[in-house]
Amino acid sequence: MELRALPRTAYLLNPSRGPIVKEEALLSALRLGWIAGAALDTHFAYPLPADHPLWRFPNVILTPHVSGIDRSEAFPARMGELFVQNVERFLLGRPLLNEVTREEWLEA
């Protein structure tokens, strides 16, 4: 299994289609601690059902399939600025900008 070959400190980042990574393999890797976590912009089922196991992992970030959605010239610079600001906030223990909680997402 490819995910098991990664270092335990690795995070899986998947901004592409969900099925590129086998769902059961990812769930096993997360449950068994083969990887440190995952950030997924697309999911195996969309929208991801409220009872899906990925919601229960504190080391998984789920986004609503908006990675690179805007084609405006300002979008890349704005995303870079937002990323830098959120890294700084994270390091200082401050709340992140544009963070959506699981509860907020389920209400939408």
Side-chain angles (χ1 to χ4, degrees):
M1 179 181 294
E2 290 85 355
L3 293 174
R4 194 170 191 171
L6 293 171
R8 288 184 177 265
T9 56
Y11 282 83
L12 173 79
L13 305 176
N14 188 7
S16 62
R17 298 288 170 232
I20 259 182
V21 176
K22 292 182 182 175
E23 180 175 19
E24 282 309 313
L26 176 58
L27 291 171
S28 291
L30 292 165
R31 280 188 195 110
L32 299 172
W34 295 343
I35 60 173
L40 309 168
D41 186 52
T42 57
H43 317 105
F44 306 97
Y46 199 81
L48 198 62
D51 63 345
H52 196 283
L54 284 172
W55 288 118
R56 293 190 288 273
F57 289 99
N59 56 342
V60 172
I61 298 171
L62 300 166
T63 57
H65 194 40
V66 295
S67 178
I69 193 169
D70 192 339
R71 295 179 189 249
S72 78
E73 291 181 18
F75 184 75
R78 177 65 185 121
M79 289 300 98
E81 291 168 14
L82 182 61
F83 176 77
V84 169
Q85 288 177 34
N86 273 340
V87 167
E88 289 170 351
R89 287 170 168 269
F90 177 80
L91 294 173
L92 294 171
R94 295 177 51 209
L96 302 181
L97 300 173
N98 297 335
E99 185 173 17
V100 177
T101 65
R102 176 180 186 263
E103 292 74 25
E104 291 170 326
W105 189 346
L106 294 176
E107 290 174 4

